[in-house]
Amino acid sequence: MAAVQWHSRGRRYEAELQRCRLEATPVDFGDYHPLKPITVTDTKSRRGARKGSTSSSSSSSSSAAPDPLSSMLDGTDPLSMFAAASAGETPGLPHSASAGDLGRKRREREEEAVGSDFEPWSAKRGEILARFTTTEKLSINLFMGSDKGKAPSPGSSAVSEKVRTRLEELDDLEEGSQRELLNLSQQDYANRIEELNQSLKEAWASDQKVKALKIVIQCSKLLSDTSVIQFYPSKFVLITDILDTFGRLVYERIWTMCSDPRPLPESFSADDVNDTAKETCLNWFFKIASIRELIPRLYVEAAILKCNRFLNKSGIQETLPRLTAMIRGIGDPLVAAYARAYLCRVGMEVAPHLKDSLNRNFFDLLGTFRQIQGDSVQNQLVLQRVEIPEYLTLYSPAINWILQCIAYRAPEPLLTEMMERCKKLGNNALLLNSVMWAFRAEFVAARATDFITMIKDCDEAGFPKHLLFGSLGRSLACADPPEAERLPILNEAWKVITKVRSPQDYINCAEIWVEFTCRHFTKREVNTVLADIIKHMTPDRAFEDAYPQLQSVIRKILTYFHDFSVLFSMERFLPFLDMFQKDSVRVEVCRSIMEVFIKHQLEPTRDPVILNAMLHICKTMHDSVNALTLEDEKRSLALLINGFIRMVSFGRDFEQQLSFCVEARATFCNLEPVLVQLIHTVNQLAMETRRVMRGSHSRKTAAFVRACAAYSFITIPSLSSIFCRLSLYLLSGQVALANQCLSQADAFLKAAVSLLPEVPRSISVEGKLRPSEGFLLDFISNFLSTLLVVPDHPEHGVLYLVRGLLNMVQDYTWEDNGDAKLRVYINALPLLAAMSQEAYLYCIPRVDSNETLYGGDPKFLSEINKLCETLIGQVLDHLKALGRDESVRRQAALAFSLFGCLLAHGDLRNNKLNQLAVNLWNLSHKHGHCDTRASVRTLEFMKHQAQQPDMAHLSDTVQRLALQSRT
Amino acid sequence: MSASLKELLAGVVVLVSKEAVQHQGISLSMEGLVNLQLSSKSVGVFEAFYNSVKPIQLISSNIEVAKAGKIPGGKTEIPFEFPLQTKGNKVLYETYHGVFVNIQYTLRCDVKRSLLAKDLSRTCEFMVHSQPQKAKVLPTPVDFSITPDTLQNIRERNLLPKFLIRGHLDATNCVISQPLTGEVVVENSQVPIKSIELQLVRVETCGCAEGYARDATEIQNIQIAEGDVCHSLSIPIYMVFPRLFTCPTLETTNFKVEFEVNIVIVLHDDHLITENFPLKLCRI
């Protein structure tokens, strides 16, 4: 096809814009319009009503203009109405609930009886298991069924009896149930117990009730064994789990027995229970009453305490005191204390209102306290090589629990009485500790000074004092002591804490008190505390074993100190951070500080103290990055550092800001997202300067923005992502242009152009390889639109950059079967057309674009037209080639887009161009591969256009364009 | 099944078969027996086997519930009633299972069948509780105190460790359906205590030709204290009387069933200290 002469269509952008605008119709005062402000008085009252109904309204702007959306609503908003409706429905639900989940419901109900403010046993469980561990070997001794005939029975020599016993023993041996497991590690032990728990459930499920009972009895028997005493609390936890299971199984079994014909109501009485169920229940109690040993009998009966409900009303009320008294028969004080804890636990669950037996239990406990000094206990401790302080801590979970049960919603006088009783006893440190743990924090806080005196009076050899202070500190962290006492309390406490010799004990205690210090005191006191901690933890690198505690110290400080200028002005804060010498911990700490900073630092800052410290922290995070760091890790670190960079502002002191960026670039060179952020910051800085100077730079500011451009220009090449580089070049070029730095802008754009050949054919997006073509096309289009305003370089030829870009496009190795290159060509046509206008579509203030430089010089225009012709020629050649290759679909699409381009930007009054357009239309419709709807719309557009002045020729053209008939 | 005196023993005979069955009559027999056995200790092994005392029949009754005929397939229920009437002046004692004395009531159902098929028979035991006593039981509390000096049956008194154990039983006239209660206090003890137990013992006496045999055997043993208990702290005594193995104290011309409780204190050196209390059980 012969070369086509290009003629750009002349454009009058202003007029076109005017035409495109919708007709403006003024709104009369009385007319309704949704966006029209409504009289303020009216809406204010409605807003008030709405606010009342929605509790979680986020910060509402109190501007005078009312929110049109809110004013549409009448009364309450629909969401809160739904919420109200569903809340109203729930009480009705239980009646319609199926029988299946009744059991669960019931359990929930009963827990409610205690209330959610009661810390349940399940919360303590894990803590106890983790705390009381041992490396010694344990043993489980199970004699299944031996509880019947083994008793020394004087005078039982009757033949039948003997024979029966013998036979029973034989039976037992056959079951293989008499066994002793020795040398178990703690984990093995726990596994064994869990196995027993499983076999209990299995036995129950397969209706072997007697076997189930035997398992439970044997397990509870293990609780009388105090060898490896350090493990006893954990053993208690494991075994009472089994007992709980058993209690639940029995209760549910009897409950289902009476659920025929309909389930029992929640608050059933013994009268609702049928005789069979009662008989079964009674049988259980008789069986348990005949268990020979005291401890199993006690525990198993306590486990099924709840079943008393089936028998009579006062059953639980009578049983609890009896069981409480029964515990007096347990000689070992530790075993007894835990038995009491179990009884209190069951009692709280089944009958929380029966406070008396709780108190009784506690008083009995106090009564037996002197046994700890008794020979039996002391001998045992010597034998097991356990020190008294360690032994005493074994009591804590049990006593804490008992006291917690007692203290729950207890009146003040009762608590005071309990405290008095503890005071009177010797060796009261253990009790004191439990009192502080279990009683309401407010109660303890109000008497903190008394407690300190009591702690000081305690026997030094007994319960470790740092634990006492730890418990006190825990209470004081939740509740505030009287204002005047705070400082003396801190002084007194710290006097003791600082004397704790073992670093581990010290830090455990100090960590707790940091919270109190932070809560009530200023940075001075906190600083002192930090200094003390450093002093204690530095010798022998003791901090290495205490990272979790030290981290917790930091966390606590961060919760109370949000003002970073205060925080960093603590002299000891950074030295404290230096104690985190293990890399992972160190980074984690820095991270937590950064997170708090980003959350709470709302104002940009230039405080040198903050900046220095934060730079140090960020540098630490940055330096942790190495070749092995995961991509995600890097990303999140970079995000945190970016958060910091965004918060740095030197106000009008732009130069300092720039030098900060220079410093930051040097510091964070390994994290690309940070570099990107820095480039954006600098670009923003340049634009800010422009704003301040209202567009016209002085000599000084001009030099400064050039420095900014230089910064970006140097930084961009160090990025690895090519599209990142491209877009930053373009952006920086635009910024440079806006700031009248023409040569810099040129350099940026040139750099972008020369980077193009390096763009790989595919890039990885979210871990997957994707073709880069789409991204590249987008970028080039964006780039082209910028080129409109870039003035030509005086030393290079006309349209130097456009040509350069097109050359690069031509040389680029595109996908083999793609038309991307041609699309770029077609996209370049609008640019060229726009360039040949007398007045450009847009321009940059104080920058002369080509329109001014050339002033519509015919030479310039013919240069443009020549370029267009070459491009069109290329496209047409390609279209021909496509026809040969039988890729008619691609041919049609390409032809249609060129047609579109001609229509929009070409001057179709020119016959040749007109003919070319018609040919292209026909080509695109030749094989029926075009989108008919698009064609129809195009025709409509043309008809519409034809009505405009100067465009009448289009109506003729339309006549020549035939729509494809669908055949 | 359970019945009291002057009551009816009532129920149904349930027959289940797949198809109709021919039978020669269905009968029920009710019997109450006291079985006495002589202990080998009191009379020698052979006599114990050969010389056992003839069972004493308390009650016996027979009825036919169905005449010879056919019962249809499926489940058939035939109701019946027995009056519990003793022969002459015999008394119905409570059901009791002991070692040498057994008081048992049984009900037996026989289905007679033609020569070719085996007769069917099923026995089941029913419990008899005696009627509550009219007279009011007066609690008879007993205080006790055990020291080395109160012990009998020891060889070297001066080797004994020092101890003082005091306590009381709330009653020795006990109601069988209610637990035995009391308290024990270890005031002091030179040797740590290992265990304190309650031993329930039955004393059965059988009259026979050569006089009578008296045997005490343990029924159950309940531990009430384990380990070195806290001194001068009262420990509860509490024991539920087991069903079947206990009955109201019984004295007849031929045999006696009595109960005792031992408080057994085991010291750490395995010294055994026992204090015996005869009980009188009754039902109210």
Side-chain angles (χ1 to χ4, degrees):
Chain A
M1 211 177 283
V4 193
Q5 286 228 313
W6 173 263
H7 296 279
S8 297
R9 184 157 71 92
R11 302 288 290 268
R12 290 203 307 278
Y13 294 117
E14 269 303 307
E16 283 179 40
L17 187 64
Q18 274 305 320
R19 271 206 308 280
C20 291
R21 278 200 184 128
L22 286 173
E23 230 172 304
T25 48
V27 185
D28 286 340
F29 181 74
D31 284 356
Y32 170 77
H33 188 275
L35 295 179
K36 205 180 86 166
I38 301 171
T39 30
V40 176
T41 47
D42 182 13
T43 45
K44 262 208 176 152
S45 63
R46 277 197 208 154
R47 285 199 122 200
R50 188 172 103 96
K51 274 214 178 141
S53 63
T54 55
S55 54
S56 65
S57 71
S58 57
S59 63
S60 56
S61 58
S62 55
S63 64
D67 176 4
L69 295 177
S70 73
S71 62
M72 294 293 283
L73 294 166
D74 287 332
T76 49
D77 76 314
L79 293 178
S80 56
M81 269 159 63
F82 283 134
S86 64
E89 263 172 37
T90 33
L93 269 177
H95 299 291
S96 58
S98 64
D101 54 10
L102 259 179
R104 187 174 51 80
K105 280 254 170 61
R106 202 175 60 233
R107 230 166 288 141
E108 284 168 2
R109 272 282 171 82
E110 270 147 21
E111 269 159 27
E112 272 169 24
V114 183
S116 56
D117 50 340
F118 185 77
E119 195 185 359
W121 173 255
S122 49
K124 313 261 177 190
R125 225 186 135 260
E127 193 188 321
I128 297 176
L129 284 179
R131 191 167 144 210
F132 296 97
T133 56
T134 181
T135 49
E136 304 217 3
K137 293 296 179 193
L138 303 160
S139 64
I140 299 182
N141 204 341
L142 295 174
F143 293 105
M144 289 294 185
S146 65
D147 52 311
K148 289 184 228 155
K150 279 256 172 149
S153 42
S156 72
S157 53
V159 180
S160 60
E161 176 112 345
K162 246 185 192 168
V163 170
R164 193 162 19 116
T165 318
R166 196 59 65 66
L167 284 174
E168 273 169 4
E169 272 174 11
L170 275 176
D171 279 349
D172 288 340
L173 284 177
E174 269 170 13
E175 280 174 28
S177 50
Q178 176 171 5
R179 55 195 161 147
E180 189 172 7
L181 302 162
L182 291 169
N183 277 335
L184 296 172
S185 75
Q186 185 185 327
Q187 186 56 43
D188 291 340
Y189 193 92
N191 292 344
R192 289 287 169 172
I193 297 287
E194 181 49 34
E195 271 171 34
L196 283 173
N197 203 355
Q198 284 309 319
S199 51
L200 165 67
K201 283 182 194 159
E202 275 163 30
W204 189 268
S206 58
D207 228 32
Q208 293 170 277
K209 304 281 152 57
V210 177
K211 189 180 170 196
L213 182 61
K214 275 185 192 169
I215 292 175
V216 176
I217 292 173
Q218 292 308 314
C219 287
S220 30
K221 222 188 258 183
L222 296 174
L223 284 175
S224 59
D225 171 24
T226 52
S227 57
V228 195
I229 205 159
Q230 309 91 309
F231 185 62
Y232 192 83
S234 293
K235 181 157 80 174
F236 170 80
V237 168
L238 294 172
I239 289 172
T240 50
D241 279 353
I242 296 190
L243 286 164
D244 288 344
T245 313
F246 178 72
R248 206 178 56 243
L249 289 173
V250 174
Y251 185 85
E252 277 169 5
R253 160 113 182 94
I254 298 174
W255 198 76
T256 47
M257 282 175 82
C258 7
S259 62
D260 193 41
R262 59 197 160 73
L264 279 181
E266 286 302 317
S267 52
F268 68 89
S269 72
D271 300 337
D272 303 330
V273 180
N274 61 36
D275 285 346
T276 349
K278 267 187 188 156
E279 189 66 18
T280 316
C281 190
L282 210 54
N283 241 327
W284 278 112
F285 281 112
F286 268 110
K287 242 177 226 163
I288 289 164
S290 66
I291 296 173
R292 203 190 96 78
E293 281 101 333
L294 172 66
I295 287 171
R297 194 167 67 243
L298 176 76
Y299 270 101
V300 179
E301 183 161 5
I304 65 162
L305 181 68
K306 199 175 171 189
C307 296
N308 274 301
R309 285 184 75 190
F310 296 110
L311 292 179
N312 51 48
K313 212 171 152 193
S314 57
I316 295 176
Q317 214 171 329
E318 286 158 12
T319 313
L320 267 177
R322 180 166 61 75
L323 292 179
T324 305
M326 211 162 132
I327 297 177
R328 292 174 164 199
I330 301 178
D332 188 311
L334 186 68
V335 177
Y338 275 91
R340 289 186 195 287
Y342 185 66
L343 193 61
C344 290
R345 179 173 132 201
V346 175
M348 268 317 257
E349 214 174 283
V350 175
H353 53 282
L354 297 176
K355 293 275 185 196
D356 285 350
S357 58
L358 294 176
N359 297 348
R360 191 69 249 156
N361 260 312
F362 185 64
F363 295 144
D364 274 0
L365 181 79
L366 296 186
T368 54
F369 239 67
R370 53 196 146 109
Q371 277 185 289
I372 293 174
Q373 273 96 30
D375 291 341
S376 308
V377 172
Q378 297 295 335
N379 291 344
Q380 196 186 8
L381 294 186
V382 170
L383 211 65
Q384 297 202 28
R385 288 193 214 94
V386 175
E387 297 287 323
I388 277 279
E390 192 192 351
Y391 175 70
L392 288 178
T393 54
L394 297 179
Y395 282 87
S396 302
I399 300 180
N400 288 354
W401 179 260
I402 297 173
L403 279 173
Q404 186 192 330
C405 293
I406 292 174
Y408 180 66
R409 292 192 183 159
E412 201 91 331
L414 178 72
L415 302 185
T416 326
E417 190 202 331
M418 293 281 171
M419 225 174 99
E420 288 306 317
R421 281 189 183 239
C422 295
K423 258 191 215 172
K424 278 183 201 139
L425 276 175
N427 192 10
N428 54 8
L430 171 57
L431 285 169
L432 203 56
N433 185 44
S434 295
V435 166
M436 289 187 286
W437 261 89
F439 283 10
R440 280 189 291 273
E442 295 80 21
F443 178 87
V444 178
R447 294 164 181 70
T449 326
D450 289 350
F451 273 105
I452 289 191
T453 340
M454 283 196 277
I455 294 175
K456 283 210 276 191
D457 293 344
C458 279
D459 182 13
E460 188 64 51
F463 202 79
K465 273 195 185 165
H466 63 92
L467 287 186
L468 290 171
F469 272 104
S471 307
L472 182 61
R474 202 159 299 145
S475 296
L476 294 183
C478 322
D480 304 336
E483 183 100 46
E485 291 176 20
R486 288 174 190 168
L487 192 61
I489 289 173
L490 183 65
N491 282 331
E492 287 300 325
W494 211 268
K495 237 186 259 169
V496 179
I497 297 168
T498 195
K499 279 185 203 135
V500 176
R501 228 171 279 136
S502 141
Q504 202 61 33
D505 291 344
Y506 168 81
I507 191 67
N508 280 333
C509 193
E511 177 228 326
I512 297 167
W513 278 86
V514 166
E515 175 129 17
F516 177 73
T517 318
C518 291
R519 208 174 144 108
H520 301 296
F521 298 98
T522 57
K523 65 168 190 178
R524 207 182 115 235
E525 287 80 4
V526 177
N527 194 39
T528 319
V529 168
L530 288 182
D532 194 55
I533 296 180
I534 295 174
K535 201 177 91 199
H536 273 83
M537 301 310 287
T538 316
D540 299 331
R541 299 176 69 81
F543 50 78
E544 282 179 344
D545 301 321
Y547 286 138
Q549 290 90 334
L550 294 175
Q551 268 178 288
S552 145
V553 169
I554 292 280
R555 258 199 306 278
K556 283 173 182 162
I557 293 177
L558 286 175
T559 10
Y560 288 97
F561 288 85
H562 290 155
D563 186 342
F564 278 76
S565 57
V566 174
L567 184 68
F568 289 126
S569 61
M570 280 182 219
E571 276 166 42
R572 292 283 147 193
F573 188 75
L574 287 181
F576 189 86
L577 288 187
D578 286 339
M579 284 202 290
F580 296 99
Q581 296 198 349
K582 194 175 157 199
D583 273 350
S584 56
V585 183
R586 197 180 170 81
V587 172
E588 210 172 301
V589 171
C590 290
R591 213 183 247 276
S592 58
I593 296 175
M594 278 313 296
E595 270 156 16
V596 176
F597 178 83
I598 290 173
K599 199 167 157 200
H600 293 286
Q601 182 75 32
L602 301 173
E603 295 287 311
T605 179
R606 58 181 298 172
D607 184 335
V609 180
I610 298 186
L611 293 192
N612 272 328
M614 290 313 276
L615 259 180
H616 173 75
I617 288 166
C618 288
K619 187 167 160 42
T620 313
M621 294 203 293
H622 169 265
D623 292 350
S624 73
V625 172
N626 57 31
L628 295 176
T629 313
L630 293 174
E631 208 51 44
D632 277 344
E633 172 82 12
K634 277 196 216 167
R635 213 180 351 246
S636 73
L637 287 179
L639 215 60
L640 291 174
I641 298 178
N642 282 350
F644 161 61
I645 290 173
R646 268 196 289 271
M647 276 301 141
V648 178
S649 166
F650 290 89
R652 283 291 187 92
D653 194 347
F654 294 137
E655 286 183 19
Q656 196 167 356
Q657 181 106 31
L658 183 63
S659 64
F660 168 79
C661 287
V662 172
E663 192 186 343
R665 179 177 61 191
T667 316
F668 305 122
C669 56
N670 286 330
L671 288 170
E672 287 198 7
V674 178
L675 294 182
V676 173
Q677 173 66 38
L678 284 171
I679 293 168
H680 283 304
T681 308
V682 169
N683 278 335
Q684 204 185 355
L685 198 58
M687 291 313 279
E688 190 68 12
T689 318
R690 179 174 176 275
R691 196 181 59 80
V692 169
M693 299 306 291
R694 293 175 210 282
S696 60
H697 286 291
S698 67
R699 180 199 289 269
K700 201 176 158 196
T701 56
F704 176 72
V705 292
R706 280 199 291 276
C708 290
Y711 179 95
S712 304
F713 195 75
I714 301 168
T715 314
I716 293 172
S718 62
L719 300 176
S720 67
S721 157
I722 195 146
F723 278 100
C724 219
R725 262 188 280 167
L726 283 175
S727 55
L728 282 174
Y729 272 134
L730 179 58
L731 184 74
S732 306
Q734 285 164 344
V735 169
L737 212 53
N739 284 300
Q740 300 122 43
C741 307
L742 296 184
S743 57
Q744 280 78 5
D746 244 15
F748 277 117
L749 298 177
K750 238 191 277 177
V753 170
S754 49
L755 191 60
L756 278 179
E758 290 173 31
V759 175
R761 290 250 288 269
S762 51
I763 52 166
S764 110
V765 178
E766 286 165 4
K768 283 180 200 157
L769 274 188
R770 294 274 167 77
S772 65
E773 204 174 271
F775 296 98
L776 191 55
L777 277 184
D778 280 352
F779 172 76
I780 292 177
S781 303
N782 195 357
F783 193 84
L784 284 172
S785 58
T786 307
L787 286 183
L788 178 65
V789 287
V790 181
D792 276 344
H793 196 283
E795 286 167 18
H796 299 290
V798 180
L799 298 180
Y800 170 71
L801 275 175
V802 181
R803 281 174 203 276
L805 176 70
L806 291 175
N807 286 338
M808 285 301 178
V809 170
Q810 191 171 19
D811 296 340
Y812 184 74
T813 44
W814 296 92
E815 289 286 339
D816 291 334
N817 301 318
D819 309 316
K821 184 164 78 171
L822 289 312
R823 289 196 183 282
V824 175
Y825 289 164
I826 293 174
N827 284 346
L829 287 175
L831 168 71
L832 293 168
M835 277 182 155
S836 53
Q837 303 300 324
E838 275 174 41
Y840 282 3
L841 180 54
Y842 43 85
C843 64
I844 293 173
R846 290 170 209 277
V847 174
D848 292 329
S849 321
N850 286 341
E851 67 182 320
T852 340
L853 292 185
Y854 297 106
D857 186 1
K859 261 193 208 158
F860 175 64
L861 292 182
S862 70
E863 200 67 36
I864 290 176
N865 287 347
K866 245 191 264 165
L867 203 53
C868 290
E869 280 150 24
T870 326
L871 293 179
I872 293 177
Q874 291 271 338
V875 178
L876 292 179
D877 287 346
H878 186 73
L879 281 175
K880 240 191 269 175
L882 282 181
R884 277 201 297 277
D885 296 348
E886 305 289 327
S887 343
V888 283
R889 183 182 290 273
R890 279 161 57 199
Q891 188 191 38
L894 204 59
F896 195 72
S897 64
L898 183 58
F899 168 77
C901 185
L902 285 184
L903 182 64
H905 303 286
D907 187 358
L908 293 190
R909 281 174 299 190
N910 178 294
N911 281 338
K912 278 203 178 151
L913 270 189
N914 198 327
Q915 185 56 46
L916 174 66
V918 173
N919 288 348
L920 283 171
W921 173 275
N922 290 337
L923 181 63
S924 65
H925 285 73
K926 197 161 127 196
H927 298 284
H929 287 302
C930 72
D931 180 3
T932 322
R933 255 191 287 172
S935 308
V936 172
R937 269 204 306 274
T938 312
L939 286 179
E940 267 165 20
F941 167 75
M942 287 173 72
K943 280 174 195 158
H944 183 253
Q945 283 289 90
Q947 288 164 8
Q948 306 295 333
D950 309 337
M951 303 294 270
H953 57 279
L954 279 184
S955 53
D956 297 336
T957 322
V958 173
Q959 301 298 321
R960 299 169 61 193
L961 303 181
L963 260 184
Q964 176 190 21
S965 54
R966 286 207 169 263
T967 43
Chain B
M1 275 176 280
S2 159
S4 298
L5 290 176
K6 310 274 173 357
E7 279 179 51
L8 288 176
L9 176 66
V12 283
V13 179
V14 182
L15 299 145
V16 184
S17 67
K18 275 192 197 127
E19 49 207 28
V21 180
Q22 194 77 38
H23 66 91
Q24 306 295 110
I26 301 172
S27 64
L28 278 174
S29 56
M30 184 254 288
E31 194 173 40
L33 281 181
V34 180
N35 274 304
L36 299 175
Q37 199 191 12
L38 293 179
S39 125
S40 55
K41 211 165 65 180
S42 44
V43 287
V45 184
F46 293 105
E47 285 91 334
F49 271 105
Y50 297 110
N51 238 2
S52 69
V53 185
K54 228 173 86 187
I56 304 161
Q57 199 179 49
L58 299 174
I59 191 168
S60 166
S61 180
N62 241 309
I63 49 169
E64 190 170 49
V65 286
K67 294 232 157 49
K70 209 175 186 182
I71 51 165
K75 191 167 160 186
T76 313
E77 291 190 356
I78 311 169
F80 66 87
E81 271 185 4
F82 275 106
L84 286 172
Q85 210 107 55
T86 49
K87 287 194 222 159
N89 58 355
K90 289 238 166 78
V91 189
L92 285 188
Y93 306 124
E94 264 202 37
T95 301
Y96 165 75
H97 293 269
V99 182
F100 305 108
V101 178
N102 256 305
I103 306 171
Q104 199 175 26
Y105 296 85
T106 54
L107 183 65
R108 182 181 147 113
C109 176
D110 290 295
V111 180
K112 290 213 181 63
R113 299 210 280 172
S114 56
L115 280 175
L116 290 172
K118 262 192 193 161
D119 290 355
L120 300 172
S121 157
R122 177 56 62 95
T123 313
C124 89
E125 183 182 358
F126 64 93
M127 310 298 160
V128 174
H129 279 180
S130 57
Q131 223 155 35
Q133 275 182 349
K134 298 277 160 25
K136 215 167 171 220
V137 185
L138 288 173
T140 43
V142 182
D143 286 323
F144 60 87
S145 153
I146 314 170
T147 61
D149 300 332
T150 63
L151 300 180
Q152 303 157 0
N153 193 17
I154 32 167
R155 272 159 242 146
E156 289 153 287
R157 198 171 289 267
N158 51 355
L159 286 182
L160 273 179
K162 283 211 173 68
F163 58 83
L164 167 61
I165 293 159
R166 291 189 301 112
H168 67 268
L169 287 178
D170 290 335
T172 49
N173 278 346
C174 297
V175 180
I176 199 165
S177 57
Q178 268 158 29
L180 173 76
T181 55
E183 267 182 359
V184 57
V185 184
V186 179
E187 294 290 359
N188 57 63
S189 166
Q190 235 173 14
V191 175
I193 284 167
K194 197 176 179 185
S195 176
I196 302 178
E197 286 155 25
L198 295 177
Q199 190 183 34
L200 182 63
V201 173
R202 62 195 149 210
V203 182
E204 294 163 318
T205 315
C206 301
C208 68
E210 287 92 30
Y212 67 94
R214 187 174 189 274
D215 284 289
T217 48
E218 180 189 285
I219 302 173
Q220 74 173 6
N221 192 327
I222 294 281
Q223 188 188 36
I224 56 166
E226 172 174 314
D228 189 14
V229 290
C230 196
H231 291 180
S232 54
L233 186 73
S234 68
I235 296 162
I237 291 175
Y238 182 91
M239 177 164 66
V240 177
F241 292 111
R243 299 192 285 194
L244 290 182
F245 302 106
T246 47
C247 66
T249 305
L250 202 57
E251 275 186 64
T252 69
T253 42
N254 295 333
F255 64 94
K256 280 201 263 186
V257 181
E258 294 157 307
F259 297 93
E260 292 173 354
V261 68
N262 291 327
I263 294 176
V264 184
I265 295 143
V266 189
L267 296 182
H268 215 267
D269 49 11
D270 282 335
H271 263 104
L272 217 66
I273 304 162
T274 306
E275 186 83 2
N276 180 274
F277 302 92
L279 300 177
K280 191 163 166 54
L281 299 187
C282 59
R283 190 178 291 281
I284 53 167

